[in-house]
Amino acid sequence: MRVLRRGDVGADVAEIRSLLVGLGLLALPNGSESAQQAAFDAEIEHAVRSFQQQRGLLTDGIVGPATYRSLRGASYHLGSRPLAYLMSAQVHGDDVFTLQERLTELGYDSGRPDGIFGPRTEQALRSFQRDYGLLIDGMCGAATVRALKQLSPRARGGRPVFLREQEQVRQAGPRLRGKRIVIDPGHGGDDRGVSVAGVCEADIAWDLARRLEGRMKATGMEAFISRGPQRGPTEAERAAFANEAGADLFLSLHCDKNASPAANGVATFHFGTGNGTTSTVGELLASYIQRELVARTGLLDCRVHPKTWEILRLTRCPAVRAEIGYLTNDGDRAKMSDPAFRDVVAEGILIAIKRLYLLGEDDQPTGTFTFADVLRHELAKR
């Protein structure tokens, strides 16, 4: 579908309006306007923004591919259609998300609830069907839905998939050696990202990724960069790279922009729907990165936020995206253009990862831990 924004007219706008009406975010239009005459007006834009904010999407009032998929997915509830794993075009929607959460509550590991019916969800569903004497076909039809709704949860008091993330960090131990990290410099190739006064986001992110990679390898970590300097993979491809690499953590590096040149600062993002479903390890890492960068760089604290962006949702390991500085702000742009400043940023991110694995042991106040401290800790006798 085409990208839709205020001022557009046509049948696809009518579809968006119908979806928003079905979600209770928009009232039915007055009169008998035809689908071809449907206009993307201020009321529809406001409803789109409200939906995006609720779903942890980029709140821009524009219906692009991610917002459209989420709108379509939100129109389904568990039982409204049969669900099955299709390799060619995986089924997605709120009904799949509900199924994944229900299976997890019943003690079946379907992985992180992401609203996509993949092979792991199918495997968990087949195990459920086998245990409860249902037809083992990997399809969620009427009989399976009835059984899912009738049974009481086995798991309460927390979300097991995210508790498993926490336990994996605890068992991994405090040392960085052997930890596998995917560093994802934003944009690349023909996609240059934000570009202001000769300063380009793709180049800044690439340089920062290389500085971080060097420091990580010095500690014994396995560091991988998700793209080359001339490539710009999609978010789904970047997430797939991390999944195939068996990454322990995924870190995406970006700069930001704003129509106002006064906008400035640093913000970090982790997977979270805004309704209580959140990656606890991702949130913890994001908070460490945010605190370290604010303390070390003097950038304005724009806080930590949950989002459902593909780069966070499709990555199976804990994932964080950092938006470091606004290139549309003169002060932030000057800082990010300075290689010495990027060294400070790289060190702050590495220290944040070290704090994650220390789990509060042998820790130091924010902004005081150094790269040399990390190396001494890594080389110290056990």
Side-chain angles (χ1 to χ4, degrees):
M1 60 161 289
R2 63 185 176 124
V3 175
L4 300 173
R5 50 174 52 86
R6 192 196 291 203
D8 287 336
V9 177
D12 39 9
V13 175
E15 181 190 5
I16 298 303
R17 183 170 61 190
S18 175
L19 290 170
L20 291 167
V21 168
L23 294 171
L25 295 172
L26 200 62
L28 284 167
N30 295 322
S32 55
E33 180 183 70
S34 70
Q36 297 300 327
Q37 296 173 322
F40 197 123
D41 55 18
E43 189 177 15
I44 291 180
E45 182 183 59
H46 177 75
V48 169
R49 286 181 179 274
S50 297
F51 175 79
Q52 290 171 327
Q53 190 171 39
Q54 291 174 6
R55 296 288 169 139
L57 299 165
L58 182 65
T59 310
D60 56 7
I62 298 172
V63 180
T67 297
Y68 179 73
R69 282 195 298 270
S70 191
L71 276 168
R72 290 290 302 173
S75 66
Y76 298 110
H77 62 271
L78 187 61
S80 62
R81 58 175 176 168
L83 298 173
Y85 173 49
L86 304 174
M87 291 185 63
S88 57
Q90 292 184 355
V91 179
H92 65 89
D94 281 19
D95 50 351
V96 180
F97 186 89
T98 302
L99 170 63
Q100 291 169 328
E101 290 223 308
R102 187 67 177 136
L103 287 169
T104 299
E105 289 174 347
L106 293 169
Y108 298 92
D109 183 9
S110 60
R112 174 186 295 177
D114 58 8
I116 300 173
F117 199 114
R120 195 165 176 180
T121 302
E122 181 189 42
Q123 183 180 6
L125 183 59
R126 285 181 178 273
S127 296
F128 167 77
Q129 290 172 328
R130 182 188 63 246
D131 291 347
Y132 288 90
L134 300 169
L135 177 64
I136 307 172
D137 57 5
M139 295 183 62
C140 187
T144 300
V145 170
R146 282 196 299 272
L148 285 166
K149 291 181 177 179
Q150 288 169 356
L151 295 167
S152 299
R154 293 177 181 171
R156 293 186 183 275
R159 297 183 181 272
V161 65
F162 298 121
L163 293 176
R164 280 193 287 271
E165 280 187 359
Q166 290 175 282
E167 181 60 17
Q168 286 171 356
V169 169
R170 189 190 68 79
Q171 290 185 355
R175 297 188 183 275
L176 295 180
R177 179 170 296 277
K179 304 295 192 297
R180 182 169 291 189
I181 312 296
V182 169
I183 310 167
D184 174 47
H187 307 281
D190 294 334
D191 178 9
R192 309 308 295 155
V194 184
S195 187
V196 181
V199 180
C200 177
E201 180 184 4
D203 295 337
I204 292 287
W206 172 255
D207 179 80
L208 181 56
R210 292 302 302 271
R211 292 170 189 271
L212 185 55
E213 177 194 30
R215 285 164 173 77
M216 286 182 171
K217 288 186 174 179
T219 67
M221 300 176 80
E222 296 181 48
F224 301 89
I225 297 182
S226 66
R227 68 166 177 88
Q230 305 304 322
R231 291 193 64 245
T234 65
E235 289 201 348
E237 289 170 339
R238 295 167 194 258
F241 175 85
N243 294 339
E244 290 168 7
D248 297 306
L249 298 173
F250 178 88
L251 178 61
S252 190
L253 304 173
H254 288 258
C255 298
D256 214 334
K257 66 176 180 179
N258 195 280
S260 169
N264 67 101
V266 56
T268 51
F269 304 86
H270 61 90
F271 173 75
T273 62
N275 65 0
T277 298
T278 187
S279 169
T280 48
V281 174
E283 184 176 5
L284 184 59
L285 177 58
S287 68
Y288 282 142
I289 291 174
Q290 184 70 15
R291 286 162 47 191
E292 288 294 334
L293 293 187
V294 168
R296 293 167 186 270
T297 66
L299 291 171
L300 180 68
D301 186 358
C302 296
R303 298 178 296 173
V304 174
H305 307 273
K307 292 293 179 183
T308 58
W309 298 333
E310 281 192 340
I311 201 68
L312 304 175
R313 180 169 52 85
L314 299 181
T315 309
R316 288 197 289 267
C317 64
V320 169
R321 172 168 166 166
E323 297 273 357
I324 309 163
Y326 282 72
L327 296 187
T328 46
N329 177 270
D330 291 343
D332 282 7
R333 187 171 65 254
K335 289 178 178 178
M336 293 303 294
S337 301
D338 182 359
F341 184 83
R342 296 197 292 273
D343 278 335
V344 173
V345 171
E347 180 168 306
I349 292 172
L350 179 68
I351 298 302
I353 294 171
K354 180 63 175 177
R355 288 190 187 280
L356 175 71
Y357 285 107
L358 281 174
L359 295 174
E361 297 179 7
D362 302 319
D363 211 344
Q364 297 182 29
T366 300
T368 63
F369 215 8
T370 68
F371 181 53
D373 292 332
V374 172
L375 291 178
R376 277 196 296 273
H377 188 276
E378 293 299 314
L379 295 173
K381 293 183 178 180
R382 295 180 181 276

